[in-house]
Amino acid sequence: MESGAKGNAGPLGHDASAYAQRQEGLSPEPLRDAAWSVAGQRAFGVVLDVGSGSGGWIRRLQRNPAVERILSTDIHDAGASRLPGVEFQQRDVSRDALPWGDASVDWVFAIEVLEHLANPRHFVKEAFRVLKPGGHLFFTTPNNDSLTARLSFLVRGYFPAFCEQDYRDSGHITPITELDARRMAVEAGFQSIHFDYPLPGRIPRSSVYWQRLLPGLRGRWWSDGLFALLTRPR
């Protein structure tokens, strides 16, 4: 999900008119590659993609033969509804109920979505509701626990993915830490909570990754992305 607001469109991240102004946005392919390796190729049954945009992640899911049915929702239809076999519903997941029944979905995906939401807790609770027992919620969001992110906040007062340009042009309004994500998951009812940090991380004030200098660096301190896999109890 991406947004850009003009005039009096209102606060970024939960105003449909703001999202209507956006350019066709795609998450970086290396991020999708990593998300596919961690969770996408494991998906099966009924799958819900939240914040579908133009449908880049859906196209990946359609390559998975274990996926039987694809549901999709976004605050603005940027093209996902036109993909064959996709059941699209336009919703603001910060405040609206997901338009599917209790315990009806096997997997929920939210790739780079939560940082755009005014109320991510509402969405996580709704994801729990629609998941079947044993179902999974997988989301990715910028990692605000990395060394680079912590130094940025200490020196500049904001996290790297939440500067003025990110707020204005991309609608990044809600930074989430691992602690925030864990608390939201527990509040919603999830018990199995797993975090992963497969992406590389940039050295402060540069475009160079730590891993170019020290290839073995892994984990929360050295990655630009937080991946979370939450499982509803059976």
Side-chain angles (χ1 to χ4, degrees):
M1 294 175 73
E2 299 175 25
S3 70
K6 296 181 181 180
N8 58 357
L12 287 171
H14 60 97
D15 189 295
S17 60
Y19 280 93
Q21 303 294 333
R22 68 184 176 182
Q23 300 296 316
E24 182 176 352
L26 298 174
S27 298
E29 289 307 313
L31 187 151
R32 287 185 183 161
D33 291 341
W36 180 256
S37 297
V38 172
Q41 62 185 358
R42 298 169 52 191
F44 60 86
V46 181
V47 177
L48 167 60
D49 182 39
V50 176
S52 300
S54 58
W57 184 248
I58 291 174
R59 292 184 182 91
R60 296 241 181 174
L61 293 172
Q62 289 175 328
R63 303 174 196 168
N64 182 342
V67 172
E68 302 169 2
R69 181 183 173 200
I70 297 178
L71 314 175
S72 167
T73 188
D74 204 331
I75 197 170
H76 171 67
D77 183 8
S81 69
R82 296 189 289 275
L83 294 177
V86 174
E87 302 172 37
F88 178 83
Q89 295 284 342
Q90 189 168 330
R91 293 292 191 279
D92 177 355
V93 298
S94 275
R95 61 186 181 188
D96 296 337
L98 291 172
W100 293 284
D102 297 355
S104 61
V105 175
D106 294 291
W107 280 79
V108 177
F109 287 96
I111 307 299
E112 299 300 283
V113 171
L114 271 69
E115 64 271 17
H116 299 266
L117 301 182
N119 188 359
R121 277 178 160 77
H122 173 77
F123 161 66
V124 173
K125 290 176 181 177
E126 275 295 292
F128 182 89
R129 179 185 65 79
V130 301
L131 281 171
K132 298 176 183 178
H136 307 282
L137 165 61
F138 177 79
F139 67 81
T140 73
T141 194
N143 175 22
N144 300 301
D145 288 308
S146 70
L147 178 60
T148 298
R150 290 170 187 249
L151 289 173
S152 173
F153 192 84
L154 177 65
V155 174
R156 300 187 293 181
Y158 56 82
F159 296 113
F162 294 85
C163 66
E164 183 61 28
Q165 183 176 354
D166 290 308
Y167 169 76
R168 184 181 64 248
D169 296 338
S170 299
H172 286 194
I173 62 172
T174 304
I176 294 170
T177 65
E178 183 180 295
L179 178 61
D180 295 325
R182 185 178 298 279
R183 285 173 172 171
M184 286 189 287
V186 171
E187 289 167 10
F190 291 101
Q191 294 178 1
S192 175
I193 304 166
H194 178 71
F195 297 110
D196 200 356
Y197 297 88
L199 299 178
R202 289 164 297 149
I203 296 174
R205 302 184 66 83
S206 80
S207 59
V208 178
Y209 291 109
W210 292 105
Q211 288 75 13
R212 182 180 297 180
L213 304 179
L214 295 169
L217 291 178
R218 294 289 185 273
R220 180 171 61 174
W221 284 85
W222 313 107
S223 174
D224 286 342
L226 163 63
F227 287 22
L229 180 64
L230 317 179
T231 304
R232 176 170 176 166
R234 292 187 179 277

